[in-house]
Amino acid sequence: MKRILSLSIFSAFSLTSMAQLPVSTSAENKNAVLEEFTGIYCQFCPDGHARAQAFSDANPGDVVLINIHSGIYANPQGSDPDFRTPWGAAIDGQSGLTGYPAGTINRRVFSGMQQGSGTAMSRGDWASAGATVISESSYANIAIEGDIDYSARTLTVDVETYFTAAAPGSTVKLNVAVLQS
């Protein structure tokens, strides 16, 4: 009897731990991810934040805002807080930005909107570029669920993807960003 009970508990645990996430099987449009390059001493960044938030508010559930503190306006002075991350400078550098605030939408080049030669755009172009992205059909639907164990300092992320069309290229990658508010 003890063995049957143990097997039943294990089976029940296995079934619940392998439960599927609620990913849609119907084709959906893409989401826009706006990575905004900013810093605590950036004079025009408050306007950039307002524009980014207005774009997000106008498209609920379709926009993800990520503020990346990098560059000369993000260097803390005295006892000011340091919001920079180990990856901020690298992401900033690959965008080709020439001024702050700047931002990228899905790390994609929008011809005629770039600040320099990369993906970075000025704040006046974010909503237009973002509207282009969220009107496009996505080839994959993704459901994500995360669990944080604060005492162990670990994050476990469960991801389920349903492809509604063929993915471009031969490699599909997933990036996970942890945002703090």
Side-chain angles (χ1 to χ4, degrees):
M1 178 68 174
K2 192 176 196 181
R3 186 175 182 165
I4 293 173
L5 181 60
S6 296
L7 183 57
S8 297
I9 292 171
F10 176 75
S11 296
F13 176 74
S14 295
L15 290 174
T16 58
S17 67
M18 296 179 71
Q20 292 185 342
L21 296 174
V23 66
S24 173
T25 57
S26 301
E28 296 182 18
N29 284 356
K30 294 178 181 179
N31 288 342
V33 178
L34 169 56
E35 293 173 295
E36 180 184 353
F37 303 103
T38 185
I40 59 176
Y41 302 112
C42 175
Q43 179 180 359
F44 298 106
C45 286
D47 181 58
H49 302 325
R51 289 174 186 239
Q53 191 62 54
F55 171 59
S56 179
D57 291 346
N59 300 282
D62 293 333
V63 178
V64 176
L65 302 177
I66 301 174
N67 288 347
I68 299 173
H69 292 259
S70 61
I72 60 172
Y73 298 115
N75 295 331
Q77 298 174 10
S79 62
D80 289 340
D82 188 355
F83 297 120
R84 297 173 298 169
T85 67
W87 302 279
I91 297 169
D92 178 310
Q94 76 182 22
S95 75
L97 66 82
T98 59
Y100 293 86
T104 67
I105 300 282
N106 293 29
R107 295 188 185 173
R108 185 166 133 186
V109 173
F110 289 88
S111 186
M113 294 186 193
Q114 312 101 296
Q115 278 189 347
S117 60
T119 60
M121 298 174 282
S122 297
R123 62 192 183 275
D125 293 317
W126 299 345
S128 177
T132 298
V133 169
I134 63 176
S135 70
E136 297 171 343
S137 183
S138 177
Y139 60 85
N141 297 335
I142 302 172
I144 299 175
E145 184 175 82
D147 184 50
I148 298 175
D149 182 340
Y150 292 102
S151 62
R153 298 178 54 90
T154 59
L155 168 65
T156 302
V157 179
D158 294 317
V159 178
E160 184 171 326
T161 304
Y162 184 86
F163 288 87
T164 58
S170 60
T171 303
V172 175
K173 296 181 180 181
L174 173 71
N175 290 303
V176 176
V178 178
L179 306 179
Q180 180 178 345
S181 176

